[in-house]
Amino acid sequence: MLATLALAGVVASLAQTLVLPLLPGFSDWLGVSAADAQWIATSTMLAGAVAAPLFGWLGDRFGLARMIVVALVFLAVGSVVAAMSDTLWMLLLGRTLQGFSSGVIGLALAVSRTMLAPASLPWAVGIVSGTLGIGTGLGVPLAGLLLQIFPWHGVFWTSAGTAVVAAGLVAIIVPHRAPGTSSRFDFVGAVTFSGILLLTLIPLSLIGSVGIPPTSIVCWIAAMAVGAWWVRYELRARSPFVDVRLARLAPIASSHITAMFVGIAFFLSFTGTVYVSQTTGREGVGLGGGVLLTGLIQTPASLASIAAAPLATMCATRWGARNTVTAGAVSVAVASASRMLVLDDPVIVALCALLVSGSASFTFAAMPLILMDVAPLHATGAVNGLNIMMRQVGSAIAGVIAAIVLASTAVATEPSRATFAWLFGAGAVCGLIAASAMAVWLGRSSNLLPSLAHIERTSR
């Protein structure tokens, strides 16, 4: 069962990055601009930011294993649509459907909590949570390999096939348990929450191409106003889509903030690897390769992500999940800063990418243990879904940062040394912010018990 859940997590996370090294080619394949091609990645991130908390709540309501299968079906259908597309809009539709699979890992974590013995839970959580880094890391080398054998459509056919296999295995192997809650679906809260995310993230994703027009400012003001109303509504709702009282507990709020900033740092490093590998080597910047070289550079980072998950579990078991997450975030900051030093040696570039990916996967693998220690059992799927959403939001923000940096620092349409200094420097700052968010409440866990008990009574 655990192997099946891990496979489902890897398949779902692959959808996020499998297409990234192909983005430069879509301008020629589909006859679109580079800015329009960027939406092929952005659309999946936006859909994932909405889908992760939604599927977490639906899993708590209708059954966790059942919703994993549904999410993987979305991935399979979206992959088929993308594979058959010959226009940008059809491809964007497929990529949006693929984004709904982002809830798989949060659901798999909740299944682990409900199905496994407490003694084995830390290891199971570490393995399942680590699949996000594993799948993300494998995306680039796998895409490079597939592109050497098939046209670009083959990447999406591969995604469709693996999604069907994973969905079938989950349906057969993972037992269906009765839902953790029988509460009615908070339709108003879910739709409003999705609207807030879209009003915030879509203008952000457009900054790199159109700047900040007045409509973007209007969208952000509207998002803040609607967000204030939504918080009040959720506090009064009997069965809220997002339990605000639970979300504002220090360990849960800090975990969400840490997830977002580590997500930013990880995606900035990932983007930097793609561009430094494919930039013409001159003035000590770039390796002058293509998609295949990018995959080779990223392969050690993928292996590090695989090893980081059990290592994080071992450390969390011995020294505590909070200390492990804090140490991981500090490592992300240090590793990101190290990437600014050498930009023309493939071995050093690969080693530094390994350190960032391994540190990020290490952090992500230990984080759910904090959430499960605090969240009520019936809210496990929703809380983990929100945490996955914050990683998605971090990726979307990182995409905006990367687009702005590339547009403002490129020399003769190619990234310069300043480009990578800004990308990796921003990643280092985000790592420090993530560590600070987690460190501020270390040693204060005893203050959480009264609030949690109150939440449990209220939920009943």
Side-chain angles (χ1 to χ4, degrees), residues 395-415:
S395 297
I397 294 174
V400 173
I401 295 173
I404 294 173
V405 169
L406 287 166
S408 59
T409 60
V411 176
T413 71
E414 282 203 342

Side-chain angles (χ1 to χ4, degrees), residues 415-450:
S416 63
R417 180 169 291 275
T419 301
F420 298 106
W422 278 102
L423 287 177
F424 300 139
V429 171
C430 288
L432 291 176
I433 294 174
S436 300
M438 186 59 58
V440 293
W441 65 276
L442 289 175
R444 295 169 52 194
S445 59
S446 59
N447 296 333
L448 302 175
L449 298 179

Side-chain angles (χ1 to χ4, degrees), residues 78-102:
S79 299
V80 171
V81 172
M84 298 178 65
S85 62
D86 55 2
T87 65
L88 177 63
W89 290 108
M90 189 174 179
L91 182 56
L92 291 179
L93 173 61
R95 289 289 291 165
T96 300
L97 292 174
Q98 283 186 313
F100 281 94
S101 64
S102 65

Side-chain angles (χ1 to χ4, degrees), residues 61-393:
R61 176 63 180 83
F62 297 107
L64 299 167
R66 187 176 293 165
M67 293 313 299
I68 292 177
V69 174
V70 172
L72 290 171
V73 169
F74 269 102
L75 175 57
V77 173
S79 299
V80 171
V81 172
M84 298 178 65
S85 62
D86 55 2
T87 65
L88 177 63
W89 290 108
M90 189 174 179
L91 182 56
L92 291 179
L93 173 61
R95 289 289 291 165
T96 300
L97 292 174
Q98 283 186 313
F100 281 94
S101 64
S102 65
V104 167
I105 294 178
L107 293 168
L109 289 169
V111 170
S112 300
R113 184 180 183 184
T114 58
M115 299 292 294
L116 298 176
S120 60
L121 183 59
W123 293 98
V125 168
I127 291 172
V128 174
S129 183
T131 59
L132 180 65
I134 295 168
T136 302
L138 288 175
V140 173
L142 181 58
L145 176 62
L146 291 173
L147 200 61
Q148 300 301 310
I149 304 173
F150 306 108
W152 63 267
H153 305 83
V155 171
F156 294 107
W157 285 120
T158 301
S159 180
T162 55
V164 170
V165 171
L169 289 174
V170 171
I172 295 170
I173 296 175
V174 180
H176 173 68
R177 286 288 182 89
T181 177
S182 59
S183 58
R184 297 179 60 185
F185 181 58
D186 180 14
F187 181 79
V188 174
V191 171
T192 306
F193 183 76
S194 301
I196 294 168
L197 288 176
L198 294 178
L199 285 172
T200 303
L201 294 178
I202 289 180
L204 277 176
S205 65
L206 294 173
I207 289 178
S209 56
V210 301
I212 307 178
T215 53
S216 295
I217 298 176
V218 171
C219 287
W220 289 330
I221 294 174
M224 289 188 290
V226 175
W229 176 87
W230 176 81
V231 169
R232 294 186 61 187
Y233 175 84
E234 293 294 276
L235 285 171
R236 296 194 302 267
R238 285 188 175 183
S239 303
F241 177 65
V242 175
D243 194 330
V244 177
R245 292 183 179 88
L246 183 62
R248 69 186 182 185
L249 290 177
I252 294 180
S254 297
S255 296
H256 291 338
I257 294 171
T258 300
M260 183 180 72
F261 280 100
V262 171
I264 295 174
F266 173 75
F267 196 83
L268 287 176
S269 176
F270 192 90
T271 303
T273 299
V274 172
Y275 279 98
V276 77
S277 299
Q278 301 184 29
T279 296
T280 303
R282 63 178 183 182
E283 298 180 358
V285 178
L287 303 178
V291 175
L292 183 59
L293 178 62
T294 305
L296 294 175
I297 294 294
Q298 187 65 28
T299 298
S302 304
L303 299 177
S305 297
I306 296 172
L311 178 62
T313 303
M314 182 180 66
C315 293
T317 303
R318 184 167 183 176
W319 292 298
R322 291 168 293 174
N323 293 322
T324 301
V325 171
T326 304
V330 172
S331 298
V332 168
V334 174
S336 296
S338 71
R339 300 211 61 182
M340 295 186 288
L341 301 178
V342 179
L343 300 171
D344 60 350
D345 187 307
V347 175
I348 296 179
V349 170
L351 177 61
C352 292
L354 177 154
L355 293 174
V356 176
S357 294
S359 299
S361 182
F362 180 90
T363 305
F364 289 144
M367 198 174 299
L369 295 173
I370 299 175
L371 301 175
M372 292 183 182
D373 187 49
V374 179
L377 185 63
H378 68 82
T380 302
V383 170
N384 280 298
L386 277 174
N387 196 257
I388 299 296
M389 182 211 73
M390 295 305 292
R391 302 184 198 182
Q392 295 287 120
V393 171

